Amino acid sequence: DACSLGVPYLRCGSARELLLGLFPAGEHCAIFWRRDYLECLSQATFALSETPQKLGSRSWGTACPRIASYAWFRLAQEDGKGEGGDRCVLVLNTHLDHLSELARVEGARLILRTLEELEKQGPGSKCAHSGTVVTGDFNR
């Protein structure tokens, strides 16, 4: 764990499945950030399925449950002059299915719809949305 080694990183993101419907288990699409440059304002993980609110759900012929995690970050103020502290970025990390092309297409569509909604709502803080970053294993 990078944090235990004194490296100034934090992480967010949930496991893709719930063991016995209760305990997070399995792969994560974690987002790591340097705590001295970014402040995490909110974060969530959703299933790439027809029931995105249900982690562990599968749709479109996926080989296993697939997820995406996102977070809103406030940029740290630079040099104490107020620069950056009024700007936020949205970051999303995902892992698309390796077997089903339909699952990759539908998962990407769900990600785009979710990002559009999040960007429309904004970070919900006193900072302006300055950009969106999407990362992941797109299996293509």
Side-chain angles (χ1 to χ4, degrees), residues 1-133:
D1 182 328
C3 297
S4 66
L5 297 174
V7 179
Y9 289 93
L10 298 173
R11 73 170 181 87
C12 66
S14 299
R16 71 179 174 190
E17 299 177 79
L18 294 176
L19 185 63
L20 303 174
L22 300 171
F23 307 103
E27 181 179 274
H28 288 63
C29 287
I31 299 169
F32 286 79
W33 73 94
R34 282 189 57 146
R35 60 180 138 203
D36 50 345
Y37 291 118
L38 300 171
E39 173 191 0
C40 184
L41 301 174
S42 64
Q43 62 89 24
T45 298
F46 61 95
L48 299 181
S49 75
E50 293 171 329
T51 53
Q53 71 283 0
K54 186 177 177 187
L55 293 180
S57 60
R58 299 182 195 197
S59 298
W60 314 302
T62 56
C64 55
R66 296 298 182 178
I67 57 171
S69 296
Y70 67 85
W72 279 104
F73 294 100
R74 182 193 316 266
L75 302 175
Q77 293 185 359
E78 300 170 7
D79 301 329
K81 297 178 184 176
E83 300 290 326
D86 59 345
R87 295 182 298 156
C88 290
V89 294
L90 176 59
V91 178
L92 181 138
N93 188 31
T94 192
H95 188 177
L96 299 180
D97 199 66
H98 63 293
L99 295 179
S100 172
E101 183 174 352
L102 177 62
R104 288 191 295 275
V105 169
E106 293 300 327
R109 285 183 178 150
L110 178 58
I111 287 169
L112 287 174
R113 285 193 306 270
T114 301
L115 288 173
E116 286 173 356
E117 290 174 20
L118 290 167
E119 289 170 343
K120 189 177 189 181
Q121 293 169 2
S125 183
K126 295 179 181 176
C127 60
H129 177 217
S130 294
T132 299
V133 178

